[in-house]
Amino acid sequence: MSYYNIQNIPLTDLAKQFGTPLYVYDADKIIEKIAILRDSFKNVNLKIKYACKANTNLSILKLMRKHGVEIDVVSPEELRLAMMAGYEGSQITFTPSGVSFDEIELAAELGTRINLDNLDVLEKFGKQYGNTKGALIRLKPHVFGGGNEKIMTAHPESKFGISIHQKDEILEIVNKYDMKIIGLHQHTGSDVKNADAFTQAATAILDIASNFKDLEIIDLGGGFKVPYKEGDSVTDMAEVGEVLSNAFLEFCKNYGRELQLWFEPGKFLVSEAGTFLATANVVKTDPIKTFVGINSGLNHLGRPMMYGAYHDIFNASNQDTSEQQEYRVVGYICETDTFSWTPEGKQGERLMNKVSAGDIIAIKNAGAYCFSMASQYNSRLLPAEVLVIDGEAKLIRKRDTFDDIVRNLVSVDI
Ligand SMILES: *Cc1c(COP(=O)(O)O)cnc(C)c1O
């Protein structure tokens, strides 16, 4: 059954070959998602800019590049990783939040496209580069959209972008320095399922856009919602594609020029491609619950504890459904460390095929914001990562060793 395999390789074989805890990614799934996105926007001049903070493994970046996907970065280090993967400056967008001007200058010198996200930086950029370098402006459209408060980025109180209500201040700075604003950007948030939120945000941006004469790009960010379990509601890509394409084409017609439409999906491209594999260390039955303790924790996969995120969890070692039971799946970190959250965002249990110590426990939707948010908390080693591509499992990141934990420590005489 495909649930238990990636491209015909059993998850249990991957666990045996590479050890656990282990992240495995299915290249075919990523390629499939790229195609869905392209198809949804087939009527416009679309550019996909992978928001790589979702998963910065170099091989994932190379896979994106091979398939014609460009890249959005949020730090100088992501920028360097993108260049290591072979991207040219002009294919990279730098979309930082509240960084020092040094970082903006560095990105500008490397020829990247930059999203300026506050008036102060806009002014500095104008003063420094005038009309010699183009830039994009990140706007805050005052739209509510996103799975939860921590991942909404366009509502009135969000720290991101320049409020559309500050249009006059923006234009004053742009005119003062004769700046070349080549694009307008907005990013609504993450896990946005409702097509309306995208439409509202797009409308807000396009309303302002006619004030800028040098536009080449409208960048509508990322945030498309993916399924986390069977029957989950997701962003209807065909609908979003049609509605946004129409609004965009209408704008282009009035503007008098065909622009590029950019999106920066992270989760949409990689979330479902990832599966996290851990080993059941203990099955602990107490009078109220049965716990499965795995050889991992919130240090490796933080979304459940950070956002109350739901991830499907199953026993990859046992396909026999005759003895199912509710298990609370927990990690080894020394604080509450639960993986099995309910769809309502509470700690809960999962109905799973009978678990015995030593079984491989699989956690789905582990391709986005999982490894990239992992830490060495509790002085634990970071897991290895594997990419299954063309039917072959390739190690794309070695497991940490103790050396990685002590590498930067400076031992002084105390
Ligand atoms: C994180 C981020 C994205 C990607 O969000 P997803 O929900 O993963 O699609 C896109 N744009 C910007 C500016 C971001 O910070």
Side-chain angles (χ1 to χ4, degrees), residues 283-292 325-326 328 349:
V283 180
K284 177 174 171 181
T285 303
D286 86 2
I288 297 178
K289 286 187 192 316
T290 302
F291 295 93
V292 174
Q325 196 183 325
E326 297 270 356
R328 175 164 290 197
E349 284 72 46

Side-chain angles (χ1 to χ4, degrees), residues 181-184 209-210 212-218 251 255 257 259:
I181 299 303
I182 57 169
L184 298 179
S210 51
F212 297 85
K213 61 182 191 321
D214 299 317
L215 293 183
E216 296 162 18
I217 301 151
I218 298 290
F251 170 79
Y255 192 71
R257 194 158 68 227
L259 307 187

Side-chain angles (χ1 to χ4, degrees), residues 11-27:
L11 296 176
T12 46
D13 285 6
L14 293 166
K16 196 180 286 169
Q17 185 181 349
F18 297 98
T20 64
L22 181 73
Y23 277 100
V24 289
Y25 308 117
D26 180 355

Side-chain angles (χ1 to χ4, degrees), residues 85-358:
Y87 283 106
E88 288 168 21
S90 62
Q91 299 173 311
I92 303 171
T93 319
F94 183 44
T95 309
S97 166
V99 299
S100 76
F101 196 69
D102 295 350
E103 292 192 5
I104 307 260
E105 265 181 318
L106 173 79
E109 301 310 325
L110 292 171
T112 72
R113 304 283 169 265
I114 304 172
N115 276 312
L116 303 171
D117 109 314
N118 62 73
L119 289 171
D120 187 42
V121 143
L122 182 67
E123 172 123 34
K124 283 197 176 117
F125 198 91
K127 208 179 264 174
Q128 179 127 337
Y129 300 113
N131 64 7
T132 64
K133 278 192 200 295
L136 291 86
I137 295 177
R138 179 173 189 166
L139 294 166
K140 178 166 75 174
H142 294 239
V143 165
F144 289 87
N148 66 60
E149 200 176 63
K150 290 185 192 162
I151 56 175
M152 284 167 44
T153 52
H155 58 293
E157 291 186 17
S158 168
K159 70 167 180 170
F160 295 100
I162 309 178
S163 167
I164 46 171
H165 298 158
Q166 290 172 304
K167 181 183 84 179
D168 293 345
E169 287 97 315
I170 295 172
L171 289 172
E172 197 184 311
I173 295 172
V174 168
N175 292 331
K176 182 160 143 202
Y177 299 103
D178 188 25
M179 293 178 76
K180 192 163 178 239
I181 299 303
I182 57 169
L184 298 179
H185 167 276
Q186 80 85 31
H187 170 60
T188 316
S190 202
D191 279 347
V192 184
K193 58 178 176 234
N194 173 351
D196 285 354
F198 285 104
T199 317
Q200 281 172 30
T203 307
I205 299 304
L206 295 177
D207 274 354
I208 279 199
S210 51
N211 291 288
F212 297 85
K213 61 182 191 321
D214 299 317
L215 293 183
E216 296 162 18
I217 301 151
I218 298 290
D219 179 350
L220 294 179
F224 306 119
K225 186 176 181 315
V226 298
Y228 291 95
K229 56 185 188 314
E230 234 172 273
D232 233 2
S233 64
V234 298
T235 311
D236 181 339
M237 292 308 293
E239 185 191 353
V240 167
E242 188 179 333
V243 174
L244 293 188
S245 296
N246 288 343
F248 174 72
L249 289 171
E250 177 73 20
F251 170 79
C252 291
K253 204 167 79 191
N254 295 333
Y255 192 71
R257 194 158 68 227
E258 200 196 337
L259 307 187
Q260 297 168 14
L261 183 61
W262 289 10
F263 285 98
E264 310 151 355
K267 210 172 261 181
F268 182 81
L269 297 180
V270 293
S271 173
E272 298 148 272
T275 305
F276 182 60
L277 302 176
T279 303
N281 282 336
V282 288
V283 180
K284 177 174 171 181
T285 303
D286 86 2
I288 297 178
K289 286 187 192 316
T290 302
F291 295 93
V292 174
I294 63 175
N295 64 341
S296 179
L298 62 89
N299 52 326
H300 294 155
L301 198 158
R303 296 186 74 255
M305 287 300 294
M306 187 154 172
Y307 304 119
Y310 181 99
H311 285 256
D312 254 353
I313 306 175
F314 64 97
N315 184 351
S317 298
N318 181 8
Q319 298 189 30
D320 175 5
T321 55
S322 65
E323 283 183 88
Q324 291 189 331
Q325 196 183 325
E326 297 270 356
Y327 295 98
R328 175 164 290 197
V329 181
V330 295
Y332 54 24
I333 291 295
C334 294
E335 60 190 81
T336 304
D337 187 7
T338 299
F339 290 104
S340 47
W341 286 65
T342 68
E344 293 75 37
K346 297 214 159 56
Q347 295 179 70
E349 284 72 46
R350 283 306 147 69
L351 188 66
M352 289 162 65
N353 296 344
K354 185 176 182 343
V355 179
S356 312

